[in-house]
Amino acid sequence: MDMMQSLTDNSEEILAQEHGKAGLVWTGKPAERNSSSQSSPGSCKPQDFSSIYSKELLPHCNGEMSRRFLQELVNILFSYIDKTFDRSSKVLDFHHPHQLKEGLEGFSLELPEQPENLEQLLVDCRDTLKYGVKTGHPRFFNQLSSGLDIVGLAGEWLTSTANTNMFTFEISPVFILMEEIVLKKMHEKVGWEEDKGDGIFCPGGSMCNLYSVLLARYHRFPEVKRKGMAALPKLALFTSEQSHYSIKKAAMVLGIGTENVFVVKCDERGKMIPRELESCLNRARSEGRTPFYVNATAGTTVFGAFDPLPDIADICQRHGLWMHVDAAWGGGLLLSKSHCAKLRGIERASSVTWNPHKMMGVPLQCAALLVREKGLLHECNQLRADYLFQPDKHYDVSYDTGDKSIQCGRHVDVFKLWLMWKAKGSEGFGSQVNRCLENAEYLFNCLRKRPDFELVCKSKPEHSNVCFWYIPPSLRGTPRGPDRDRRLHEVAPKIKAKMMEEGMVMIGYQPLGEKVNFFRCVFSNPATKKEDVDFLLDEIARLGCDL
């Protein structure tokens, strides 16, 4: 039977039924399931995996058992997907680390000396999902990346099946060309000239940001590649106080040092203040440092703020500095006609970080570094390993991308994005972004009307981040001051703990500067609706009313 047809026919017949036995594959057609116990071909025949081991799967044996095993795994996954979109199901079934390590209901993390049968492996697959977090659940608001896109999931499955590497055209011809096409499309959305830009997909936005500092340093001081930091003056780079921590980490990793990262003040909405950047530049020079790099953020992690890119670009141009835009979170807005103006000025950047696995909903991980100057990635990172990058191959070796990368082995992250872009088009992604920001505006308006909540920022959110405090009845009449702040600081963690124990919704919290712990709700899941926003606020109020 065709595997996908079987999945469609048998989607309700899953391995992991709450009270059923694991390890059954139904090979009959839907109409035959209710028939009496006939043994004729085509009737319902369960496959018992309890005495079957991996040695009976490909490549050791024929493909029939492998097909049945994978079909059963797909049934587990399909059941999980159904539950992910079921609002009556839990976001998580929380257990403490020691409980998971000790083992639960036959689920053990320990590794055996002897092989276990396929039925146990299937049970383990089911339980791995059971005790994890459904990040695709419409009521998961905890991280910037959420949602479960079925086309993207299909792309990830195909990528894993292909199991190839992105370093040469000879072993990854289609994926290499897809990466080129997708990067060109992203360059177009940034606003760069056609065929001028470059880029590479990296394992996360932090690595993209590290690449940007690496390139900026090489561009200014190419001798660093051979002679190292000892040959350079003391460098200085600049980023806002609300930027991602990976900028400081990049300075640490690259030997520049965190003390040479100048943190620029932001306004009350979390945007870098241009005159403060000028002040930091002057201070760095007066202290004998050489400025070379400025990071501007398009969509800060906490407030979702967009730095004033045109003003920062003017400063970078005037001082001859590399301008990087960390649009890991905000880059998706480039696809929205309603919101793309918030990134005006990004076309003047030397490099851009853009994470499609955030606002665009591509399955983790999918992050791109875009570079305006073509060839710089190769010049900076190229070492010409002759066992991979032979110049006398019979095809155009400029398509061998491995020497652009710090990595050797590089996962295929582009296919799921390419497939989703095919499925949605730029307009579909734009509509998805718009819905997320509409949810944020709805939450913002709800909070303004409720006396039991207080907004951290009074102005309408730029992105899909909404930050707020819950004020329990015991604090509503308390005057502002240190005592109220101390007590309010404890509210969010206590509510979050109760929330995780019950498992029906999930949201993050954090302090920021002098602001005590507050909730940060972010929207990137297109499955989330206004009813989920209402549920979130009601749950917070229910869980926190007696604090």
Side-chain angles (χ1 to χ4, degrees):
M1 183 189 299
D2 178 81
M3 182 175 178
M4 292 310 298
Q5 181 61 47
S6 176
L7 171 60
T8 303
D9 292 345
N10 302 321
S11 60
E12 75 277 13
E13 303 245 25
I14 59 171
L15 168 70
Q17 298 183 46
E18 294 298 326
H19 303 292
K21 181 182 178 183
L24 301 180
V25 172
W26 293 96
T27 58
K29 296 179 181 179
E32 296 167 337
R33 291 180 192 144
N34 298 323
S35 60
S36 59
S37 55
Q38 300 174 358
S39 58
S40 59
S43 63
C44 296
K45 293 174 61 180
Q47 172 68 58
D48 184 358
F49 288 105
S50 61
S51 60
I52 302 172
Y53 293 80
S54 65
K55 66 183 180 180
E56 296 180 54
L57 302 179
L58 289 170
H60 311 293
C61 202
N62 65 46
E64 177 61 20
M65 188 58 66
S66 299
R67 186 192 66 81
R68 292 183 181 182
F69 174 71
L70 289 176
Q71 181 175 302
E72 198 59 41
L73 179 61
V74 168
N75 289 343
I76 293 173
L77 298 178
F78 199 73
S79 171
Y80 177 80
I81 291 167
D82 280 345
K83 290 178 181 177
T84 292
F85 292 107
D86 178 4
R87 286 172 170 79
S88 66
S89 70
K90 287 186 173 185
V91 176
L92 73 157
D93 183 6
F94 178 77
H95 292 80
H96 289 280
H98 73 274
Q99 294 173 308
L100 290 172
K101 290 174 75 173
E102 289 166 3
L104 292 165
E105 300 175 345
F107 179 54
S108 173
L109 297 172
E110 296 302 317
L111 296 173
E113 292 298 320
Q114 299 298 320
E116 293 186 343
N117 60 54
L118 296 187
E119 180 171 320
Q120 182 60 51
L121 299 189
L122 290 167
V123 170
D124 289 342
C125 289
R126 179 201 65 192
D127 288 346
T128 297
L129 293 173
K130 171 180 168 58
Y131 297 120
V133 178
K134 297 186 185 77
T135 59
H137 197 287
R139 294 173 179 171
F140 176 83
F141 306 100
N142 208 74
Q143 253 69 46
L144 302 183
S145 53
S146 65
L148 179 59
D149 188 277
I150 299 301
V151 173
L153 180 62
E156 190 68 76
W157 288 353
L158 185 145
T159 297
S160 295
T161 302
N163 192 32
T164 192
N165 201 315
M166 287 294 287
F167 46 49
T168 61
F169 178 84
E170 67 182 88
I171 66 163
S172 193
V174 181
F175 295 136
I176 289 283
L177 296 180
M178 283 178 177
E179 185 171 73
E180 179 186 60
I181 295 295
V182 171
L183 288 171
K184 282 184 178 180
K185 193 71 172 178
M186 297 174 85
H187 296 157
E188 173 193 316
K189 297 301 178 182
V190 167
W192 289 341
E193 293 181 42
E194 188 177 355
D195 296 327
K196 295 291 184 183
D198 203 346
I200 196 166
F201 280 82
C202 305
S206 293
M207 281 298 297
C208 292
N209 288 341
L210 185 144
Y211 267 103
S212 73
V213 179
L214 178 71
L215 287 172
R217 186 179 63 179
Y218 175 81
H219 183 258
R220 181 74 176 271
F221 302 102
E223 63 270 25
V224 70
K225 185 172 179 178
R226 294 176 292 106
K227 298 180 179 179
M229 285 294 292
L232 306 188
K234 184 178 285 188
L235 301 181
L237 60 151
F238 305 82
T239 192
S240 88
E241 61 186 355
Q242 293 204 24
S243 65
H244 196 261
Y245 71 91
S246 58
I247 301 298
K248 278 191 174 180
K249 183 168 283 191
M252 175 186 74
V253 170
L254 295 172
I256 296 168
T258 57
E259 290 184 359
N260 295 309
V261 178
F262 284 71
V263 177
V264 183
K265 291 180 181 177
C266 295
D267 63 19
E268 61 183 14
R269 200 62 186 83
K271 298 170 176 286
M272 183 191 287
I273 302 171
R275 67 174 181 275
E276 293 292 341
L277 174 58
E278 289 270 19
S279 177
C280 285
L281 285 165
N282 293 333
R283 180 160 61 90
R285 289 197 176 96
S286 70
E287 294 173 357
R289 293 175 171 88
T290 300
F292 77 106
Y293 172 100
V294 175
N295 172 65
T297 307
T300 58
T301 305
V302 180
F303 287 165
F306 290 79
D307 286 343
L309 303 183
D311 294 338
I312 294 170
D314 288 344
I315 293 170
C316 290
Q317 184 175 347
R318 191 159 58 248
H319 292 273
L321 305 175
W322 181 283
M323 177 182 169
H324 176 68
V325 177
D326 180 1
W329 177 220
L333 272 64
L334 290 169
L335 298 169
S336 165
K337 294 177 182 178
S338 302
H339 298 284
C340 61
K342 294 171 183 177
L343 292 98
R344 186 173 62 87
I346 194 172
E347 72 280 355
R348 298 175 64 185
S350 303
S351 57
V352 173
T353 291
W354 181 351
N355 286 9
H357 68 231
K358 291 188 170 126
M359 183 51 66
M360 294 170 70
V362 179
L364 281 164
Q365 63 194 17
C366 187
L369 173 75
L370 311 176
V371 185
R372 188 168 58 180
E373 182 179 333
K374 195 166 188 175
L376 190 63
L377 269 167
H378 256 122
E379 292 174 21
C380 180
N381 296 311
Q382 188 176 52
L383 284 176
R384 296 186 176 90
D386 55 13
Y387 60 90
L388 282 176
F389 310 119
Q390 304 93 340
D392 52 358
K393 293 179 180 179
H394 72 288
Y395 60 83
D396 183 352
V397 295
S398 67
Y399 287 99
D400 287 354
T401 61
D403 242 0
K404 294 200 297 187
S405 171
I406 299 173
Q407 303 163 253
C408 180
R410 188 161 66 91
H411 186 259
V412 177
D413 292 328
V414 70
F415 178 72
K416 54 199 169 187
L417 172 57
W418 179 87
L419 199 64
M420 286 177 65
W421 215 314
K422 282 270 191 173
K424 298 173 187 285
S426 301
E427 290 187 0
F429 274 128
S431 297
Q432 183 172 307
V433 168
N434 293 342
R435 285 197 299 273
C436 290
L437 270 69
E438 286 165 8
N439 280 334
E441 186 171 353
Y442 176 76
L443 172 57
F444 174 77
N445 290 331
C446 288
L447 291 167
R448 286 199 303 178
K449 298 173 185 175
R450 292 187 58 152
D452 48 347
F453 290 90
E454 183 178 325
L455 286 157
V456 175
C457 298
K458 307 301 181 185
S459 58
K460 178 182 171 181
E462 285 190 290
H463 205 336
S464 72
N465 308 49
V466 184
C467 301
F468 59 91
W469 291 282
Y470 171 70
I471 313 298
S474 63
L475 285 179
R476 286 173 205 166
T478 305
R480 296 180 184 276
D483 180 61
R484 181 182 185 273
D485 286 347
R486 178 185 57 79
R487 293 167 63 190
L488 184 59
H489 188 65
E490 298 173 354
V491 170
K494 289 179 179 178
I495 292 175
K496 177 69 178 280
K498 292 181 180 181
M499 186 180 286
M500 291 185 69
E501 292 287 348
E502 294 196 12
M504 298 306 296
V505 66
M506 199 168 177
I507 186 175
Y509 72 87
Q510 72 282 305
L512 184 67
E514 296 180 355
K515 294 178 172 63
V516 299
N517 281 325
F518 55 86
F519 290 110
R520 180 201 63 167
C521 187
V522 287
F523 296 92
S524 60
N525 187 346
T528 299
K529 299 179 179 179
K530 291 177 181 178
E531 66 186 76
D532 302 307
V533 176
D534 296 335
F535 181 87
L536 169 69
L537 295 184
D538 290 343
E539 276 293 276
I540 290 174
R542 181 181 69 84
L543 296 171
C545 65
D546 59 348
L547 295 178

